[in-house]
Amino acid sequence: MMRSTAAVFITMLIVLGAGVKTAAGSGEIPAPARVVLSRAHEHMQNDDYDKALSVIRDFQARGEPDPPPDAHDPRGYHHPEVWFFIGAIHLETENPDKAAEAFGRALQRDPDHVYARINLARILTEQSDYNGAAGHFLHAYEADGKTNPEYLYYAAVTWLMDDTTENTTDSSIDAFTRLVENHPDDMRPEWRENMVHALLSAGREEKALVHILKLADHYEGDKRIQWQEILLYQYLQMGMEAEAFDYALFLTREAPDNEKWWRGLAHVSLARNNYENALVALTVYGYLTPLSPDEKKLFADLSLQVGIPVLAVPAYEAAMDQKQNKWPDRSLLQNLVIAYRQMEESEQAVETINAFDGHEEDPDLLALKADILYNLERFADAAEAYRKAAEKDSGASAGRAWLMAGYAAWQTDDLPSARKAFEKAAEFERHQPDAEAALKQLRHPE
């Protein structure tokens, strides 16, 4: 699965903190700054964000305009929490660029300000800077004492969303791995789904398989079916045909009325060259839902392969009837003819070929028809069909057609035609010995 198609969702809320409580690591807020932030917070609770911002800006105007981050600031004009409040106000008033600047200033003074990290990460996510956002989410997780699994999940999933930076999938997988190891009881199914997307996009199918199994076992209803299908597909993709067969068999027993599992069992059986099982599974599938033309052809081919032509004939006929043209393709016709021959209905096989208007221009069909006529001992008709096949064929098969035309003509005592056909066959290296032996016998009959 490609990263661009992964079902990745992030829901973030603005973290304002509780009142003027300082974030971990920011240090105690000086009393003057605390008073100002309390007043600003009251205005924010009344949705008067302009007034809240004005209160803070008036307070900052009393100090240095832009001191370095490590400058002494006893009154807290530029305390990280002050800048965090400014960022939160801009975020609430839908001014993300100014909010990001303010959160950045808070982080210059306190790199471990968790709430500033989370809100800045949210802004970067909305601006599609997924790599930058992921870094802030991860830092927030570390700064918060590695106790909040959501922060680590957001780091993993935003890296997964990034398709512009190298190695972000590996970073995503590393974060997901830490999430599973550090917070196994907090691992939500939707988190595990995105971990599967990350692992599959990185080609780590074996590691993904464990999580796919958990998801297929956890869900119910349509979601369960979805992940069961993914699991069956992964078994096949990884060449685990025995596991795929066992699982497909389990699925048909768990939900025997679900046609998907019978179709899956048929394809798994085909992959293992078990045509009998494939035919049985496809038969049940056909009882549950109408077969498509291609599925009818597959059913017919399997019936023919396992030696049940009586099933193959109606299936081939049904497959052809569903096509726009009477005879949709040569392979259907050829296999239908073979099925008739296995049923010892050679005359019907000839009639079937004759019903195809284009067979006179097709050397393979002409040769097939000629073989049937020869076996029926209709030698004159066979000789004519072989000659036509040879004349239409510009390849190596023409040699056999000429050779057989000679034998068929010989059976009718049409020696001139036989001699001419053998001479043509002798031009082909593979058939030259047989053709010359026949010519010698014609010249010197015993």
Side-chain angles (χ1 to χ4, degrees):
M1 296 184 184
M2 297 300 293
R3 218 169 351 172
S4 59
T5 61
V8 178
F9 302 96
I10 293 182
T11 302
M12 286 298 300
L13 297 176
I14 300 173
V15 184
L16 296 178
V20 293
K21 179 181 177 181
T22 182
S26 294
E28 186 66 26
I29 304 176
R34 190 181 309 115
V35 171
V36 169
L37 293 183
S38 293
R39 290 170 55 199
H41 187 254
E42 291 176 4
H43 291 303
M44 293 171 71
Q45 287 184 317
N46 293 325
D47 294 332
D48 192 348
Y49 296 105
D50 289 342
K51 184 63 176 177
L53 185 59
S54 177
V55 167
I56 297 176
R57 287 302 193 191
D58 288 345
F59 171 67
Q60 285 190 317
R62 299 172 198 162
E64 292 185 45
D66 192 19
D70 57 351
H72 186 56
D73 186 19
R75 298 183 63 82
Y77 295 121
H78 296 281
H79 189 276
E81 208 67 21
V82 172
W83 281 110
F84 172 75
F85 261 70
I86 294 173
I89 293 169
H90 284 310
L91 201 55
E92 283 285 4
T93 55
E94 299 183 1
N95 197 331
D97 290 336
K98 288 187 176 181
E101 180 184 359
F103 291 137
R105 285 181 175 251
L107 292 173
Q108 286 177 349
R109 289 156 176 80
D110 178 13
D112 291 335
H113 194 296
V114 174
Y115 299 149
R117 288 279 178 193
I118 293 300
N119 281 284
L120 182 54
R122 178 209 175 193
I123 293 170
L124 293 177
T125 299
E126 293 179 346
Q127 294 176 344
S128 300
D129 183 359
Y130 301 119
N131 188 44
H136 287 297
F137 281 128
L138 184 61
H139 196 135
Y141 172 73
E142 301 283 356
D144 201 40
K146 304 178 183 178
T147 60
N148 193 327
E150 287 195 353
Y151 298 161
L152 186 55
Y153 168 71
Y154 289 134
V157 82
T158 45
W159 265 318
L160 179 59
M161 295 168 69
D162 186 10
D163 57 4
T164 61
T165 311
E166 292 184 2
N167 302 321
T168 52
T169 301
D170 291 337
S171 298
S172 175
I173 292 172
D174 290 342
F176 274 122
T177 301
R178 290 181 64 184
L179 188 61
V180 171
E181 292 174 351
N182 298 348
H183 308 279
D185 296 334
D186 298 306
M187 196 69 179
R188 303 172 191 171
E190 57 270 25
W191 294 5
R192 199 178 298 277
E193 287 189 45
N194 282 319
M195 183 175 186
V196 169
H197 291 310
L199 290 167
L200 291 180
S201 66
R204 303 185 192 182
E205 290 85 358
E206 290 186 7
K207 290 186 177 296
L209 203 58
V210 176
H211 301 284
I212 296 173
L213 277 163
K214 289 181 180 292
L215 290 168
D217 186 58
H218 170 81
Y219 282 121
E220 299 294 337
D222 291 342
K223 288 282 284 185
R224 179 180 178 83
I225 293 173
Q226 173 193 345
W227 284 99
Q228 287 175 328
E229 286 185 287
I230 292 173
L231 178 56
L232 185 59
Y233 172 79
Q234 284 303 131
Y235 278 141
L236 287 172
Q237 284 292 101
M238 296 169 65
M240 301 171 66
E241 293 176 358
E243 289 81 358
F245 179 79
D246 289 343
Y247 191 58
L249 200 58
F250 160 77
L251 293 173
T252 60
R253 291 171 178 172
E254 180 185 67
D257 58 341
N258 189 331
E259 68 273 9
K260 288 183 178 181
W261 305 142
W262 292 102
R263 182 179 61 189
L265 181 59
H267 285 291
V268 171
S269 299
L270 280 174
R272 304 183 75 194
N273 296 323
N274 191 329
Y275 302 120
E276 291 84 358
N277 281 346
L279 179 60
V280 171
L282 197 59
T283 300
V284 178
Y285 174 74
Y287 288 138
L288 296 173
T289 187
L291 298 179
S292 69
D294 287 340
E295 288 166 344
K296 287 183 177 180
K297 182 179 183 301
L298 175 60
F299 179 86
D301 289 342
L302 288 171
S303 300
L304 193 62
Q305 181 71 32
V306 302
I308 313 178
V310 69
L311 292 179
V313 167
Y316 281 128
E317 291 175 340
M320 291 189 293
D321 287 343
Q322 284 190 291
K323 301 290 185 179
Q324 291 183 350
N325 300 320
K326 186 176 181 182
W327 303 113
D329 59 62
R330 189 178 68 188
S331 64
L332 278 174
L333 178 59
Q334 287 177 316
N335 287 342
L336 176 58
V337 169
I338 293 170
Y340 277 130
R341 293 184 71 183
Q342 288 186 1
M343 293 174 63
E344 298 183 357
E345 294 186 14
S346 297
E347 293 289 355
Q348 182 62 49
V350 173
E351 291 179 15
T352 300
I353 296 176
N354 287 337
F356 178 40
D357 293 337
H359 86 278
E360 293 285 350
E361 302 299 321
D362 190 314
D364 291 332
L365 289 178
L366 284 168
L368 179 59
K369 174 183 173 181
D371 287 341
I372 300 171
L373 291 169
Y374 194 95
N375 289 334
L376 287 171
E377 298 185 359
R378 292 169 55 181
F379 298 117
D381 293 335
E384 180 182 2
Y386 280 128
R387 282 195 295 270
K388 288 181 178 179
E391 290 169 353
K392 294 292 182 183
D393 195 338
S394 58
S397 297
R400 177 186 179 276
W402 282 119
L403 184 65
M404 292 305 299
Y407 287 137
W410 196 353
Q411 291 285 354
T412 64
D413 292 328
D414 184 357
L415 301 186
S417 295
R419 187 176 295 107
K420 180 178 180 182
F422 287 137
E423 288 173 351
K424 290 279 189 180
E427 296 175 6
F428 294 83
E429 182 177 355
R430 179 179 177 182
H431 302 287
Q432 185 178 16
D434 290 335
E436 289 183 347
L439 287 169
K440 181 178 180 180
Q441 191 169 354
L442 285 175
R443 285 194 295 267
H444 306 286
E446 293 181 1

